[in-house]
Amino acid sequence: MNNPAPTFARQDNLKFFRTLNSRVNNYFKENNIQKTGNWKLHLKAVILFAVFLTPYFLILTLDMPFWVMLLLSIVMGIGMAGVGMNVMHDGNHGSYSNKSWINKLMGGTIYVLAGNVYNWQVQHNVLHHTYTNIPGHDEDLDAGRIIRFTKHAEWHSFHRFQHYYSVFLYGLLTFNWAITTDFKQMRNYLKRKLSYGEPKSPKILWTTLIITKIIYVSIWIVLPIVIGITWWKVVLGFFVMHYTTGLILSIVFQLAHVVDHTTNPEPNELGEMDNTWAIHQLYTTTNFAPKNAIVNWYTGGLNHQIEHHIFPHISHIHYGKIAKIVKETAKECNLPYYEYKTMRSAIVAHFKHLRDLGMKPELSV
């Protein structure tokens, strides 16, 4: 992934983003509301943190059967994913609040989720949001050899079964964050001199990573063992929590970009993309279950990926309102606006797409 960064077209249908940006800005101005979060987001944060942390304190303080502990670990995983999608995500995009210190605080909740602010901001804000679905640049498409997310990835015979086994691997996402991914990413990103915002000293970044990992392991592994919970129960509960979180996050992420509608455009020999950045987002992103209140609330608006990708600095609590504006503007400009009406249809489309990508290239259509 050290290819020269592609550049986006500058003259292709500029009307779209100019018109869209003007209309969205007018929406907030006319309704006299801020683009950041409000009391609805703050209340949601309290609820999700309660779902995440209350079971942890119950496990520490109450004597309970192991099966109850495992059920509570699943609940923690659900809460953990919710915090990541709603609180951490908006915080690290600077959209949780109009106060930078609150955004930093909420973005920093990723440390409680086993991640790292620097790594996440580079991978997500810089690489994914800038080079969405571009092979070799968007790391969300890179699953090593085990899963083939694009037709540009090397094919192996075991990929014929990836639409069956991939879902079992999805659950390892945040567990890998906790033990290996962060260290590999930081080494790679610092080597490439990547940053989001003001660059920080490598010494500070490495020190922060190591200290936060030690604190994380102390809270989630060492402390429960010290108070008397059998070590293997702690480790298994920890794994179940992370597996639940990873499964939820992975599926939500994949439904937006790895389906049959979305494309994986590549730059030409000069490193130039065919479309402007905003139009590129329309071709590489899809929404799902836009009218489902539960999905909207829990996924932090990640089911409105089109709106999120074009306006990442607007809090997700507004996506439902501005989606109509984005959809109408895209239609006026004869541009695509992909969406699946239900989450079920999006899930079916994703695994069908994985099945198609798993076919031997010369045999696939």
Side-chain angles (χ1 to χ4, degrees):
M1 292 216 174
N2 294 317
N3 302 327
T7 57
F8 291 92
R10 296 180 179 274
Q11 301 301 322
D12 181 20
N13 205 341
L14 287 176
K15 173 187 173 183
F16 169 67
F17 186 66
R18 287 176 178 173
T19 303
L20 177 60
N21 197 45
S22 176
R23 290 175 177 176
V24 170
N25 285 334
N26 286 337
Y27 164 78
F28 285 99
K29 184 177 181 179
E30 291 170 1
N31 290 280
N32 194 29
I33 55 179
Q34 295 183 333
K35 296 179 180 180
T36 51
N38 55 27
W39 67 268
K40 294 179 181 179
L41 180 54
H42 306 328
L43 177 60
K44 187 193 294 191
V46 172
I47 294 172
L48 290 172
F49 265 110
V51 174
F52 177 34
L53 296 178
T54 300
Y56 173 74
F57 291 112
L58 291 177
I59 291 173
L60 290 183
T61 56
L62 300 179
D63 186 17
M64 61 182 66
F66 182 54
W67 67 268
V68 175
M69 177 180 167
L70 288 182
L71 287 178
L72 289 177
S73 297
I74 294 174
V75 174
M76 282 192 290
I78 294 172
M80 181 179 173
V83 170
M85 292 185 290
N86 292 270
V87 182
M88 181 277 289
H89 190 253
D90 271 27
N92 278 316
H93 273 297
S95 63
Y96 186 96
S97 170
N98 58 2
K99 295 180 173 58
S100 60
W101 71 269
I102 294 181
N103 285 322
K104 288 183 179 179
L105 178 64
M106 295 305 169
T109 58
I110 193 172
Y111 294 118
V112 187
L113 312 179
N116 177 269
V117 169
Y118 166 75
N119 288 335
W120 192 89
Q121 288 182 337
V122 170
Q123 179 184 352
H124 187 78
N125 292 3
V126 177
L127 301 179
H128 175 61
H129 271 267
T130 306
Y131 310 112
T132 311
N133 265 30
I134 301 178
H137 297 277
D138 183 356
E139 289 191 354
D140 284 7
L141 297 176
D142 183 15
R145 298 175 57 190
I146 195 66
I147 302 178
R148 189 172 188 251
F149 280 141
T150 77
K151 64 181 181 180
H152 306 283
E154 183 181 359
W155 182 85
H156 298 280
S157 59
F158 54 78
H159 288 144
R160 291 175 296 174
F161 309 103
Q162 67 175 13
H163 55 297
Y164 295 119
Y165 66 71
S166 56
V167 68
F168 298 103
L169 298 177
Y170 285 170
L172 301 176
L173 175 66
T174 59
F175 185 75
N176 288 336
W177 280 4
I179 58 176
T180 60
T181 303
D182 275 329
F183 295 96
K184 294 178 180 179
Q185 284 185 332
M186 183 163 290
R187 181 182 60 190
N188 181 35
Y189 296 159
L190 288 175
K191 182 179 180 181
R192 295 167 61 186
K193 297 182 180 180
L194 297 175
S195 64
Y196 178 75
E198 184 178 351
K200 293 183 179 179
S201 164
K203 290 183 180 180
I204 293 177
L205 292 173
W206 276 114
T207 301
T208 300
L209 176 63
I210 294 171
I211 291 177
T212 53
K213 291 296 183 184
I214 292 174
I215 294 174
Y216 184 81
V217 172
S218 298
I219 292 173
W220 293 99
I221 300 293
V222 177
L223 180 58
I225 293 176
V226 169
I227 67 171
I229 302 177
T230 307
W231 70 269
W232 64 266
K233 292 182 179 181
V234 173
V235 172
L236 185 57
F238 178 80
F239 179 79
V240 168
M241 176 185 73
H242 270 285
Y243 194 86
T244 303
T245 302
L247 186 60
I248 294 171
L249 294 180
S250 293
I251 289 179
V252 169
F253 292 163
Q254 304 306 341
L255 299 188
H257 300 290
V258 186
V259 289
D260 52 359
H261 288 316
T262 56
T263 61
N264 298 109
E266 291 186 296
N268 60 25
E269 62 276 5
L270 299 178
E272 300 168 337
M273 303 299 297
D274 290 337
N275 294 310
T276 60
W277 173 84
I279 293 176
H280 175 85
Q281 304 305 318
L282 294 177
Y283 281 100
T284 58
T285 310
T286 184
N287 290 353
F288 60 92
K291 302 298 183 181
N292 188 312
I294 296 176
V295 174
N296 275 321
W297 189 89
Y298 180 66
T299 65
L302 292 181
N303 59 322
H304 282 282
Q305 277 285 304
I306 295 174
E307 288 70 37
H308 173 60
H309 268 260
I310 297 177
F311 298 105
H313 298 300
I314 294 179
S315 175
H316 72 267
I317 62 171
H318 303 296
Y319 292 160
K321 296 293 185 180
I322 68 173
K324 183 178 180 180
I325 302 174
V326 179
K327 189 173 185 178
E328 290 178 351
T329 307
K331 183 178 180 180
E332 290 176 11
C333 296
N334 295 314
L335 293 169
Y337 184 93
Y338 302 132
E339 64 179 351
Y340 291 95
K341 300 301 182 183
T342 65
M343 188 166 186
R344 178 183 177 277
S345 61
I347 291 175
V348 170
H350 169 63
F351 287 102
K352 180 179 180 296
H353 190 54
L354 284 186
R355 183 196 66 190
D356 294 341
L357 289 171
M359 295 174 63
K360 194 170 184 179
E362 56 264 32
L363 298 179
S364 60
V365 178

